[in-house]
Amino acid sequence: MTTIEDQIEILVTWQALELEVGVTERQIAARMEEITVLDQAAAERESLVSAEKEALSALKKAYRELEAESKINLAMIAKSNEKLRSVKTNKEYQSILKEIEETEKKNSDIEDRMLEQLELIESQEGAITTKAAQLTSFVGNCQEKKQAAEEEIQQARQTVAALKEKVEQTRAEAAPQTIATLDRVRETVRGMAVVPAQGETCMGCHMNIPAQLFNELRRYDEIRFCPHCRRIIYWKEKENA
Ligand SMILES: [Zn+2]
């Protein structure tokens, strides 16, 4: 048969373990959040580079279209030059010459646009090369950070499992009645369920407790509660700072 003092000690140990479980679980959640943020950042940058690549494809497509148009024009010019040799009338000759001139003018514009397009393609390719290299190093950096976070999570999960085992062991050490009382209190209070009373003050709600109750606490003859916050309280010598 353990004493009330022992029971309180078990509860205090249990509570410290529970707090540690909470802290560790919050660490896990924070690390997982970090991983999500890293993934999002990498995905965002990847989609930016993809968009740049799509823009480059569009430029190349436009260039190929101009090129095709230019080929058709050149073929037309060649054909017209061919025709010139067999024309019978001056009028026809002039008309074909005019046609050739117009097509040449059109094609010269197209060639100018092709040159512009080529310059754009070149600069876009340069930008993509730079951004792709930046992306690779950024993703690598993210991977490293993620790996470190994942390792920490794995370790923290092991810690939580070990702590939870200790929590169960500690609960098993307490009298069933004590556990029943504890669980009832936990349902009604937020945060700590077991708190010391120091210098006639409940350390849970920081209200003064009656002097008589404070004296009773020192006897450790039963589990007592703060009259204000209903937490389990126990006597603890005032620490001199
Ligand atoms: Zn209280």
Side-chain angles (χ1 to χ4, degrees):
M1 184 64 196
T2 57
T3 64
I4 290 296
E5 196 168 357
D6 292 336
Q7 295 292 307
I8 292 288
E9 208 183 303
I10 292 168
L11 291 186
V12 169
T13 304
W14 164 85
Q15 184 163 260
L17 289 167
E18 282 283 10
L19 281 176
E20 227 180 307
V21 168
V23 167
T24 315
E25 279 177 340
R26 280 193 292 281
Q27 279 170 355
I28 291 173
R31 287 282 170 275
M32 287 175 80
E33 175 63 23
E34 259 177 52
I35 289 176
T36 308
V37 169
L38 287 169
D39 280 341
Q40 278 170 352
E44 256 169 49
R45 291 202 179 203
E46 264 162 19
S47 75
L48 282 178
V49 173
S50 293
E52 299 269 7
K53 283 182 179 166
E54 271 169 37
L56 176 63
S57 297
L59 286 175
K60 283 183 173 171
K61 186 168 176 265
Y63 180 83
R64 282 195 304 272
E65 279 165 7
L66 290 172
E67 199 177 35
E69 216 179 311
S70 165
K71 267 185 193 159
I72 291 168
N73 287 336
L74 290 175
M76 271 168 65
I77 292 165
K79 212 175 153 192
S80 298
N81 274 321
E82 193 86 358
K83 256 200 273 175
L84 274 184
R85 282 189 228 147
S86 55
V87 290
K88 306 273 185 312
T89 65
N90 187 46
K91 196 182 165 201
E92 205 183 343
Y93 190 86
Q94 292 305 327
S95 145
I96 293 173
L97 263 192
K98 196 172 171 241
E99 200 185 286
I100 291 174
E101 217 172 279
E102 274 167 13
T103 312
E104 274 175 344
K105 163 113 190 27
K106 217 168 100 186
N107 206 49
S108 158
D109 287 346
I110 288 174
E111 279 170 353
D112 286 347
R113 278 162 63 198
M114 280 170 76
L115 277 178
E116 278 169 23
Q117 212 70 2
L118 265 187
E119 270 174 34
L120 284 176
I121 287 171
E122 236 169 77
S123 94
Q124 182 72 0
E125 274 172 346
I128 287 175
T129 305
T130 308
K131 282 176 187 169
Q134 284 169 347
L135 175 67
T136 304
S137 101
F138 184 79
V139 168
N141 202 348
C142 282
Q143 287 298 341
E144 270 174 39
K145 284 183 187 164
K146 267 177 73 177
Q147 206 182 331
E150 271 156 12
E151 276 164 23
E152 272 181 53
I153 287 171
Q154 212 186 336
Q155 271 186 346
R157 282 195 175 133
Q158 284 171 2
T159 304
V160 167
L163 284 170
K164 282 189 171 168
E165 210 171 294
K166 273 197 220 167
V167 164
E168 286 315 307
Q169 282 168 5
T170 310
R171 278 172 74 92
E173 281 170 26
Q177 209 185 333
T178 306
I179 292 299
T181 304
L182 171 70
D183 288 342
R184 186 167 47 75
V185 171
R186 284 173 76 197
E187 277 171 22
T188 54
V189 301
R190 290 182 64 182
M192 312 255 273
V194 189
V195 292
Q198 283 182 327
E200 296 184 16
T201 301
C202 164
M203 297 315 280
C205 63
H206 299 281
M207 305 258 291
N208 282 338
I209 57 167
Q212 193 196 333
L213 174 59
F214 190 67
N215 288 330
E216 284 167 354
L217 286 180
R218 302 176 75 146
R219 282 188 234 138
Y220 276 114
D221 55 354
E222 61 177 271
I223 289 178
R224 290 188 166 82
F225 308 91
C226 168
H228 309 292
C229 67
R230 308 306 301 165
R231 289 182 171 90
I232 296 171
I233 48 173
Y234 61 96
W235 177 75
K236 194 178 177 190
E237 212 163 350
K238 198 168 185 182
E239 284 156 5
N240 292 316

